[in-house]
Amino acid sequence: MTADHTIVMELLYASHAAAQRKTPVRRVDAPACQVVIRAAKADADDDDMERLTLLALGTAICASDLTAVLADHKNITTQQLLDELVVARRGQGAADTPMPDLLLAMRSDDPGQAADLLGTLIADDHDAFLDLIVELGGYAATCVSLLAVLEISTIEDTLAELEQSMRQFFAGKQPPRTRGAAGERR
């Protein structure tokens, strides 16, 4: 399989569309879940995990960059913003997930930290890994909407910048470290 950015963008668009929907759908029928299920089936057919791994990593890059932009807007660190997220989620009764740890690992100076976290999750709990991918897509979609609400960047501009970053990532190039909608890596 040739690595392609389109699966990450498909997940982001599906997650964004689902966030705008008023009527909830069964989780398995949700568009974001369908993207992950298609990737999982294709990986199963190829007897590997390449699509899911790249989908998780690409979506984590997008979510991490968006987190940095929002943190910068609030004049706080990414760690502080993620701490606020964890507290808010717990206040709503949501269970802890590996997402905040992964987002912090994505911002660390050790690029292997995120890969190790994903590798451990894949080996220990495949279902939690799939849930993490869906959660990352939903979180990124929420961040895209927040950037628009805060008038930092339009939804269209943010998604276009994320797509460019994903094209560069999948081409084997480091995404640019700009202060645009996808954010500066901190």
Side-chain angles (χ1 to χ4, degrees):
M1 177 199 121
T2 303
D4 188 308
H5 75 285
T6 58
I7 192 166
V8 173
M9 295 312 299
E10 184 180 355
L11 178 62
L12 292 178
Y13 280 103
S15 297
H16 191 267
Q20 306 307 310
R21 185 181 288 212
K22 299 285 185 218
T23 308
V25 296
R26 289 182 330 142
R27 180 167 165 82
V28 73
D29 295 332
C33 290
Q34 289 299 307
V35 172
V36 175
I37 289 168
R38 279 195 309 276
K41 286 179 180 177
D43 277 353
D45 290 346
D46 292 343
D47 198 27
D48 67 22
M49 292 282 296
E50 183 178 10
R51 285 172 191 84
L52 286 173
T53 302
L54 289 173
L55 180 58
L57 191 55
T59 308
I61 289 169
C62 293
S64 174
D65 285 352
L66 292 165
T67 301
V69 172
L70 290 169
D72 188 53
H73 177 75
K74 289 183 71 169
N75 290 322
I76 60 175
T77 68
T78 303
Q79 173 75 52
Q80 290 169 318
L81 183 65
L82 289 172
D83 289 345
E84 288 178 9
L85 172 68
V86 169
V87 168
R89 289 171 51 108
R90 285 182 184 154
Q92 295 173 344
D96 288 339
T97 71
M99 187 183 72
D101 292 335
L102 178 60
L103 294 177
L104 283 175
M106 296 298 295
R107 311 256 16 118
S108 79
D109 291 333
D110 177 9
Q113 190 177 1
D116 290 345
L117 198 153
L118 285 174
T120 300
L121 191 57
I122 291 168
D124 291 348
D125 191 343
H126 189 72
D127 288 339
F129 175 65
L130 298 178
D131 288 343
L132 174 64
I133 297 170
V134 173
E135 182 182 13
L136 285 166
Y139 173 76
T142 299
C143 290
V144 168
S145 294
L146 279 172
L147 290 173
V149 168
L150 296 170
E151 298 180 350
I152 296 170
S153 177
T154 67
I155 290 169
E156 295 78 17
D157 288 348
T158 302
L159 290 171
E161 190 167 334
L162 290 172
E163 183 166 5
Q164 181 61 30
S165 291
M166 288 299 93
R167 284 180 191 273
Q168 291 175 345
F169 169 71
F170 280 93
K173 301 174 185 166
Q174 177 68 21
R177 293 180 178 214
T178 63
R179 291 186 50 85
E184 179 178 307
R185 292 181 180 259
R186 286 204 214 199

